[in-house]
Amino acid sequence: MRDRIDIGGVSVSPDHFIGGKRVSSPRTFETRCPFDWDRKLADISLGDADTANQAVEAATKAFPAWAALCQAERSAHLHRLADLIEERKNDIAMVECLDMAMLLESLQLRLVPRGALNFRNYADLAAEHEERVWSSKGTANRVIRMPAGPALIITPWNAPFMLSTWKCAPALAAGNTVILKPADWSPLSASVLADLIAESGMPPGVFNIVQGGAEIGNALTSDPRIKRISFTGSVPTARIIGRNAAENIVPFTAELGGKSALLVFEDADIDAAAKKAAGQYDDSGQVCMAGSRIIVQESVREKFLERFHHYADQHVLGDSFDSATTVSAMIHPIHVERVLGFIERARAAGDTIVRGGKRWKEGQNWIEPTLIEPKSNDSEVVQSEIFGPVLTFQTFATEDEGVALANSTAYGLSGIIYTGDAARAERVGRQVRGGTVWVNTFLVRDLTAPFGGIGISGIGREGGDYALDFHSDLKTLQILEGSVRDCS
Ligand code: NAD
């Protein structure tokens, strides 16, 4: 076991958490602070095939007893974990702020409490579940949810605490044991979660957390003892995981990238639309659901752009402890270079850089909030997910043209529409391709609603009962009516 490390006053273990114990690997990887890159935070145990095997063994061993618990007992465990997250809210926020650069205030007020809510929501939802019962063709029918087995949850580096709890909670509530593998660019808040799991008294092996990247990821996704895989991340990784899942015939959900439209009609509140559009630079645009393609009706182009620049000018780039900061640092220099590559190629191809377009300060992880007016809809910056503070700007004449532009990429994660016309809200809301489409708002989430993507934005739906069904083997039990009697 490696020594614990001080991360902003919080003691964090750099090791895996398997079968209720800390487990080290011989090799390590380092994690650094995105807004103070010279500051190395920790050397973390780098998981491999052996680590994967230990975790799957622990989750397999713990499964029968966890699955056999009554729902009220499982839900009580989840509520206890939620209590501890609320108690340690500020510690989790501090660690994630240093590790991923999300704004401290936003973590404290929004994202970490949402982590607790994820467990509470699924504890209650699973407990309230009523089996569907009906009579048909002389038989009494019931649909029963049966725990599926050890579930593997793989998460990306953005919003890691909120996203991983969102995905682990339904698996546990459904009676599955869990192995969580967070991303290697932001591994630390998951390690705090492991401490809370231990403190909560959850039986060893029910909830395991392993650290590392593709090597352990591959070993885990190829293991036939894993009965569900729930993945959030990029399209190329989903393709690899999907192949492994197919080999073992294991159900697999994938919440992937987006290139969502923010569609503004002339009848909209243009000021509100422009403010929301400029808000897409929050978190340096590292948000899967971001409306990164701004598509505005030609008649309000100038009015929109004037208000957009007004709001974009108000952004403050800075470190994530400062409550004045609105644009946080990007996760990693490799990602900064990748995003700058998109901008350079757009410039070379003749797209117009309307604002920003370069690093904020040499050697640091910020890029100026950037707006690009592409030469054509085929431009790379329109068609590919950039996942940085880069938005594109396009215009349209008619409603049909606007919808066609909105639906012109291979993605379909979400959409944002600004209109004041109720009929148009309904009509265009149905036409825009996306798992979630907001009208005159953004990021309002109801945890019981289905969430997922269309096209290359993903497979399957999580959220509410959809995730509980995914994590269960659904069985139809049919008993011939009148053939059995109460013998108790
Ligand atoms: P990524 O695909 O590189 O990594 C995601 C996870 O997969 C990480 O934990 C990584 O270690 C792991 N991984 C990498 N190779 C693997 C392999 N061969 N086998 C198993 N696991 C492997 O994605 P990222 O760069 O961490 O995240 C950014 C992407 O995630 C963006 O595309 C973003 O849009 C997407 N995202 C989607 C949602 C959503 O809900 N739809 C939410 C957040 C982020």
Side-chain angles (χ1 to χ4, degrees):
M1 209 166 72
R2 292 198 158 78
D3 289 342
R4 294 176 74 93
I5 301 153
D6 184 297
I7 308 285
V10 184
S11 162
V12 178
S13 166
D15 288 335
H16 316 289
F17 179 72
I18 300 174
K21 295 196 180 73
R22 290 291 177 178
V23 174
S24 285
S25 287
R27 290 178 295 153
T28 59
F29 64 96
E30 64 172 37
T31 180
R32 289 178 175 268
C33 176
F35 57 89
D36 182 6
W37 195 248
D38 290 338
R39 180 172 176 184
K40 180 164 129 180
L41 297 171
D43 288 311
I44 304 289
S45 275
L46 176 63
D48 55 15
D50 179 49
T51 323
N53 183 48
Q54 289 181 53
V56 180
E57 232 165 63
T60 306
K61 192 165 158 224
F63 173 68
W66 180 249
L69 282 186
C70 70
Q71 192 59 55
E73 288 174 296
R74 275 201 297 267
S75 293
H77 277 291
L78 298 192
H79 276 298
R80 245 188 322 274
L81 192 51
D83 292 342
L84 291 171
I85 291 170
E86 278 161 5
E87 274 171 35
R88 297 281 303 279
K89 177 184 78 170
N90 289 340
D91 287 352
I92 300 165
M94 172 58 75
V95 168
E96 185 141 309
C97 174
L98 282 164
D99 199 26
M100 201 256 134
M102 294 201 88
L103 303 181
L104 184 63
E105 205 173 84
S106 155
L107 283 160
Q108 288 169 336
L109 297 178
R110 214 165 47 83
L111 289 155
V112 179
R114 164 72 194 278
L117 191 63
N118 286 334
F119 286 110
R120 290 206 193 290
N121 178 55
Y122 275 105
D124 293 343
L125 208 60
E128 285 159 11
H129 174 65
E130 283 177 17
E131 285 173 1
R132 188 180 158 214
V133 181
W134 77 105
S135 178
S136 158
K137 299 183 178 168
T139 60
N141 294 253
R142 274 195 295 154
V143 177
I144 299 172
R145 275 184 187 155
M146 300 189 311
L152 172 63
I153 313 289
I154 298 184
T155 49
W157 49 260
N158 70 314
F161 189 78
M162 188 278 284
L163 277 175
S164 54
T165 52
W166 150 258
K167 294 173 84 67
C168 291
L172 291 164
N176 298 340
T177 50
V178 163
I179 300 165
L180 165 66
K181 195 206 79 60
D184 43 355
W185 278 358
S186 56
L188 294 180
S189 59
S191 190
V192 182
L193 180 62
D195 287 342
L196 305 187
I197 295 164
E199 198 181 328
S200 76
M202 203 174 265
V206 168
F207 195 168
N208 309 277
I209 298 179
V210 294
Q211 302 284 8
E215 186 180 345
I216 186 169
N218 256 321
L220 287 165
T221 54
S222 324
D223 193 311
R225 292 169 293 177
I226 293 291
K227 299 302 178 201
R228 289 293 183 276
I229 301 176
S230 167
F231 171 71
T232 300
S234 67
V235 175
T237 308
R239 291 198 170 108
I240 298 170
I241 296 177
R243 281 195 278 272
N244 288 344
E247 195 58 45
N248 292 325
I249 319 287
V250 167
F252 160 58
T253 59
E255 296 180 344
L256 309 177
K259 192 70 192 176
S260 303
L262 195 159
L263 197 54
V264 182
F265 288 94
E266 60 191 2
D267 55 28
D269 176 342
I270 301 299
D271 185 68
K275 189 173 184 185
K276 198 59 82 182
Q280 306 302 310
Y281 292 129
D282 292 356
D283 295 319
S284 266
Q286 301 170 129
V287 177
C288 57
M289 290 173 285
S292 53
R293 288 182 299 136
I294 303 172
I295 303 172
V296 175
Q297 199 152 19
E298 186 62 49
S299 52
V300 289
R301 175 195 165 99
E302 294 315 318
K303 186 174 169 195
F304 176 90
L305 278 175
E306 186 273 316
R307 296 318 291 156
F308 174 82
H309 288 302
H310 166 79
Y311 287 116
D313 287 345
Q314 291 175 23
H315 273 301
V316 178
L317 282 63
D319 84 45
S320 300
F321 293 138
D322 189 342
S323 58
T325 299
T326 60
V327 178
S328 53
M330 297 172 67
I331 182 77
H332 197 286
I334 293 175
H335 189 50
V336 174
E337 287 300 332
R338 192 180 157 269
V339 173
L340 286 171
F342 275 105
I343 298 172
E344 282 326 305
R345 289 192 296 279
R347 211 189 299 271
D351 294 342
T352 306
I353 313 294
V354 179
R355 67 178 294 140
K358 57 183 195 313
R359 253 182 222 275
W360 178 47
K361 286 181 182 167
E362 215 32 60
Q364 298 200 0
N365 288 347
W366 286 264
I367 292 176
E368 290 175 346
T370 296
L371 185 70
I372 301 179
E373 192 161 0
K375 224 168 57 173
S376 100
N377 194 48
D378 297 332
S379 291
E380 185 193 25
V381 284
V382 177
Q383 295 298 327
S384 303
E385 184 188 45
I386 299 175
F387 217 53
V390 180
L391 307 176
T392 57
F393 180 79
Q394 294 168 281
T395 57
F396 63 92
T398 65
E399 181 179 297
D400 285 350
E401 280 174 32
V403 171
L405 277 178
N407 291 344
S408 67
T409 76
Y411 294 92
L413 188 58
S414 58
I416 312 168
I417 300 163
Y418 271 81
T419 177
D421 178 336
R424 175 173 272 161
E426 185 67 28
R427 192 170 57 239
V428 177
R430 285 171 180 273
Q431 288 172 338
V432 166
R433 213 164 75 110
T436 306
V437 173
W438 288 278
V439 179
N440 299 329
T441 186
F442 177 51
L443 282 189
V444 179
R445 295 269 295 115
D446 180 323
L447 300 188
T448 62
F451 180 80
I454 297 173
I456 63 168
S457 287
I459 300 174
R461 291 292 178 272
E462 297 196 17
D465 280 336
Y466 305 89
L468 291 172
D469 279 350
F470 169 72
H471 281 290
S472 307
D473 285 324
L474 296 183
K475 172 187 288 185
T476 306
L477 179 64
Q478 287 188 289
I479 301 177
L480 184 66
E481 279 167 349
S483 69
V484 290
R485 60 194 166 83
D486 188 356
C487 297
S488 57

mmCIF file of all heavy atoms in Angstrom, residues 2-23:
data_model
loop_
_atom_site.group_PDB
_atom_site.id
_atom_site.type_symbol
_atom_site.label_atom_id
_atom_site.label_comp_id
_atom_site.label_asym_id
_atom_site.label_seq_id
_atom_site.Cartn_x
_atom_site.Cartn_y
_atom_site.Cartn_z
ATOM 1 N N ARG A 2 0.567 2.193 -0.867
ATOM 2 C CA ARG A 2 1.359 3.435 -0.919
ATOM 3 C C ARG A 2 0.871 4.423 0.140
ATOM 4 O O ARG A 2 -0.287 4.352 0.577
ATOM 5 C CB ARG A 2 1.214 4.100 -2.285
ATOM 6 C CG ARG A 2 1.841 3.330 -3.389
ATOM 7 C CD ARG A 2 2.055 4.201 -4.623
ATOM 8 N NE ARG A 2 3.086 3.581 -5.426
ATOM 9 C CZ ARG A 2 2.878 2.535 -6.207
ATOM 10 N NH1 ARG A 2 1.674 2.002 -6.285
ATOM 11 N NH2 ARG A 2 3.858 2.002 -6.890
ATOM 12 N N ASP A 3 1.766 5.355 0.494
ATOM 13 C CA ASP A 3 1.376 6.390 1.468
ATOM 14 C C ASP A 3 0.273 7.265 0.888
ATOM 15 O O ASP A 3 0.244 7.527 -0.322
ATOM 16 C CB ASP A 3 2.578 7.297 1.790
ATOM 17 C CG ASP A 3 3.608 6.550 2.617
ATOM 18 O OD1 ASP A 3 3.241 5.498 3.202
ATOM 19 O OD2 ASP A 3 4.762 7.011 2.658
ATOM 20 N N ARG A 4 -0.577 7.730 1.783
ATOM 21 C CA ARG A 4 -1.615 8.672 1.337
ATOM 22 C C ARG A 4 -0.961 10.020 1.040
ATOM 23 O O ARG A 4 0.125 10.324 1.531
ATOM 24 C CB ARG A 4 -2.702 8.774 2.405
ATOM 25 C CG ARG A 4 -3.463 7.452 2.563
ATOM 26 C CD ARG A 4 -4.477 7.512 3.673
ATOM 27 N NE ARG A 4 -5.627 8.301 3.290
ATOM 28 C CZ ARG A 4 -6.745 7.808 2.739
ATOM 29 N NH1 ARG A 4 -6.853 6.508 2.505
ATOM 30 N NH2 ARG A 4 -7.751 8.593 2.431
ATOM 31 N N ILE A 5 -1.643 10.808 0.240
ATOM 32 C CA ILE A 5 -1.058 12.073 -0.239
ATOM 33 C C ILE A 5 -1.976 13.215 0.172
ATOM 34 O O ILE A 5 -3.204 13.065 0.179
ATOM 35 C CB ILE A 5 -0.952 12.033 -1.786
ATOM 36 C CG1 ILE A 5 -0.081 10.853 -2.212
ATOM 37 C CG2 ILE A 5 -0.404 13.321 -2.361
ATOM 38 C CD1 ILE A 5 -0.415 10.341 -3.571
ATOM 39 N N ASP A 6 -1.366 14.348 0.479
ATOM 40 C CA ASP A 6 -2.160 15.536 0.816
ATOM 41 C C ASP A 6 -2.534 16.272 -0.474
ATOM 42 O O ASP A 6 -1.666 16.751 -1.192
ATOM 43 C CB ASP A 6 -1.339 16.445 1.740
ATOM 44 C CG ASP A 6 -2.165 17.638 2.192
ATOM 45 O OD1 ASP A 6 -2.553 18.435 1.330
ATOM 46 O OD2 ASP A 6 -2.430 17.758 3.404
ATOM 47 N N ILE A 7 -3.833 16.334 -0.750
ATOM 48 C CA ILE A 7 -4.302 17.075 -1.938
ATOM 49 C C ILE A 7 -5.140 18.248 -1.425
ATOM 50 O O ILE A 7 -6.299 18.067 -1.040
ATOM 51 C CB ILE A 7 -5.166 16.182 -2.865
ATOM 52 C CG1 ILE A 7 -4.455 14.873 -3.223
ATOM 53 C CG2 ILE A 7 -5.619 16.951 -4.107
ATOM 54 C CD1 ILE A 7 -3.328 14.975 -4.230
ATOM 55 N N GLY A 8 -4.545 19.416 -1.357
ATOM 56 C CA GLY A 8 -5.275 20.608 -0.887
ATOM 57 C C GLY A 8 -5.849 20.432 0.508
ATOM 58 O O GLY A 8 -6.960 20.885 0.781
ATOM 59 N N GLY A 9 -5.106 19.732 1.384
ATOM 60 C CA GLY A 9 -5.576 19.535 2.769
ATOM 61 C C GLY A 9 -6.419 18.284 2.945
ATOM 62 O O GLY A 9 -6.881 17.999 4.054
ATOM 63 N N VAL A 10 -6.643 17.531 1.873
ATOM 64 C CA VAL A 10 -7.441 16.296 1.965
ATOM 65 C C VAL A 10 -6.500 15.104 1.755
ATOM 66 O O VAL A 10 -5.703 15.095 0.815
ATOM 67 C CB VAL A 10 -8.542 16.273 0.872
ATOM 68 C CG1 VAL A 10 -9.421 15.040 1.022
ATOM 69 C CG2 VAL A 10 -9.363 17.550 0.904
ATOM 70 N N SER A 11 -6.612 14.114 2.644
ATOM 71 C CA SER A 11 -5.757 12.933 2.529
ATOM 72 C C SER A 11 -6.378 11.962 1.510
ATOM 73 O O SER A 11 -7.529 11.532 1.659
ATOM 74 C CB SER A 11 -5.669 12.272 3.913
ATOM 75 O OG SER A 11 -5.224 10.955 3.781
ATOM 76 N N VAL A 12 -5.586 11.638 0.470
ATOM 77 C CA VAL A 12 -6.117 10.806 -0.626
ATOM 78 C C VAL A 12 -5.187 9.618 -0.853
ATOM 79 O O VAL A 12 -3.970 9.775 -0.914
ATOM 80 C CB VAL A 12 -6.230 11.640 -1.929
ATOM 81 C CG1 VAL A 12 -6.732 10.772 -3.087
ATOM 82 C CG2 VAL A 12 -7.166 12.829 -1.736
ATOM 83 N N SER A 13 -5.784 8.436 -1.012
ATOM 84 C CA SER A 13 -4.977 7.253 -1.313
ATOM 85 C C SER A 13 -4.697 7.183 -2.816
ATOM 86 O O SER A 13 -5.610 7.381 -3.628
ATOM 87 C CB SER A 13 -5.709 5.983 -0.885
ATOM 88 O OG SER A 13 -5.071 4.871 -1.481
ATOM 89 N N PRO A 14 -3.456 6.852 -3.207
ATOM 90 C CA PRO A 14 -3.155 6.718 -4.635
ATOM 91 C C PRO A 14 -3.428 5.311 -5.166
ATOM 92 O O PRO A 14 -3.072 5.005 -6.296
ATOM 93 C CB PRO A 14 -1.654 7.029 -4.683
ATOM 94 C CG PRO A 14 -1.139 6.553 -3.364
ATOM 95 C CD PRO A 14 -2.249 6.708 -2.356
ATOM 96 N N ASP A 15 -4.050 4.454 -4.351
ATOM 97 C CA ASP A 15 -4.204 3.044 -4.722
ATOM 98 C C ASP A 15 -5.622 2.703 -5.166
ATOM 99 O O ASP A 15 -6.566 3.468 -4.983
ATOM 100 C CB ASP A 15 -3.820 2.163 -3.527
ATOM 101 C CG ASP A 15 -2.319 2.185 -3.291
ATOM 102 O OD1 ASP A 15 -1.571 2.454 -4.255
ATOM 103 O OD2 ASP A 15 -1.895 1.967 -2.138
ATOM 104 N N HIS A 16 -5.743 1.493 -5.698
ATOM 105 C CA HIS A 16 -7.059 0.956 -6.057
ATOM 106 C C HIS A 16 -7.819 0.631 -4.772
ATOM 107 O O HIS A 16 -7.239 0.568 -3.673
ATOM 108 C CB HIS A 16 -6.912 -0.339 -6.865
ATOM 109 C CG HIS A 16 -5.865 -0.285 -7.930
ATOM 110 N ND1 HIS A 16 -6.004 0.455 -9.073
ATOM 111 C CD2 HIS A 16 -4.639 -0.884 -8.023
ATOM 112 C CE1 HIS A 16 -4.931 0.305 -9.831
ATOM 113 N NE2 HIS A 16 -4.083 -0.488 -9.208
ATOM 114 N N PHE A 17 -9.103 0.355 -4.921
ATOM 115 C CA PHE A 17 -9.932 -0.079 -3.798
ATOM 116 C C PHE A 17 -10.658 -1.343 -4.265
ATOM 117 O O PHE A 17 -11.578 -1.278 -5.083
ATOM 118 C CB PHE A 17 -10.913 1.040 -3.438
ATOM 119 C CG PHE A 17 -11.837 0.714 -2.304
ATOM 120 C CD1 PHE A 17 -11.367 0.650 -0.994
ATOM 121 C CD2 PHE A 17 -13.195 0.483 -2.537
ATOM 122 C CE1 PHE A 17 -12.231 0.358 0.062
ATOM 123 C CE2 PHE A 17 -14.057 0.193 -1.497
ATOM 124 C CZ PHE A 17 -13.573 0.134 -0.191
ATOM 125 N N ILE A 18 -10.182 -2.489 -3.760
ATOM 126 C CA ILE A 18 -10.700 -3.784 -4.247
ATOM 127 C C ILE A 18 -11.054 -4.657 -3.053
ATOM 128 O O ILE A 18 -10.232 -4.834 -2.153
ATOM 129 C CB ILE A 18 -9.641 -4.506 -5.123
ATOM 130 C CG1 ILE A 18 -9.280 -3.649 -6.349
ATOM 131 C CG2 ILE A 18 -10.131 -5.880 -5.555
ATOM 132 C CD1 ILE A 18 -8.144 -4.213 -7.204
ATOM 133 N N GLY A 19 -12.257 -5.190 -3.059
ATOM 134 C CA GLY A 19 -12.679 -6.073 -1.969
ATOM 135 C C GLY A 19 -12.591 -5.379 -0.609
ATOM 136 O O GLY A 19 -12.283 -6.011 0.395
ATOM 137 N N GLY A 20 -12.832 -4.083 -0.587
ATOM 138 C CA GLY A 20 -12.828 -3.330 0.678
ATOM 139 C C GLY A 20 -11.441 -2.930 1.154
ATOM 140 O O GLY A 20 -11.301 -2.353 2.236
ATOM 141 N N LYS A 21 -10.403 -3.216 0.367
ATOM 142 C CA LYS A 21 -9.024 -2.909 0.793
ATOM 143 C C LYS A 21 -8.304 -2.083 -0.267
ATOM 144 O O LYS A 21 -8.603 -2.179 -1.456
ATOM 145 C CB LYS A 21 -8.225 -4.197 0.987
ATOM 146 C CG LYS A 21 -8.695 -5.093 2.092
ATOM 147 C CD LYS A 21 -7.568 -6.100 2.408
ATOM 148 C CE LYS A 21 -7.958 -7.041 3.516
ATOM 149 N NZ LYS A 21 -8.959 -8.037 3.091
ATOM 150 N N ARG A 22 -7.312 -1.338 0.187
ATOM 151 C CA ARG A 22 -6.443 -0.626 -0.745
ATOM 152 C C ARG A 22 -5.433 -1.608 -1.335
ATOM 153 O O ARG A 22 -4.840 -2.405 -0.601
ATOM 154 C CB ARG A 22 -5.709 0.511 -0.018
ATOM 155 C CG ARG A 22 -6.637 1.648 0.379
ATOM 156 C CD ARG A 22 -7.127 2.391 -0.848
ATOM 157 N NE ARG A 22 -8.083 3.443 -0.507
ATOM 158 C CZ ARG A 22 -8.624 4.253 -1.405
ATOM 159 N NH1 ARG A 22 -8.328 4.136 -2.687
ATOM 160 N NH2 ARG A 22 -9.472 5.179 -1.037
ATOM 161 N N VAL A 23 -5.247 -1.530 -2.649
ATOM 162 C CA VAL A 23 -4.337 -2.440 -3.358
ATOM 163 C C VAL A 23 -3.430 -1.587 -4.253
ATOM 164 O O VAL A 23 -3.921 -0.733 -5.001
ATOM 165 C CB VAL A 23 -5.149 -3.438 -4.218
ATOM 166 C CG1 VAL A 23 -4.225 -4.292 -5.076
ATOM 167 C CG2 VAL A 23 -6.044 -4.309 -3.338
#
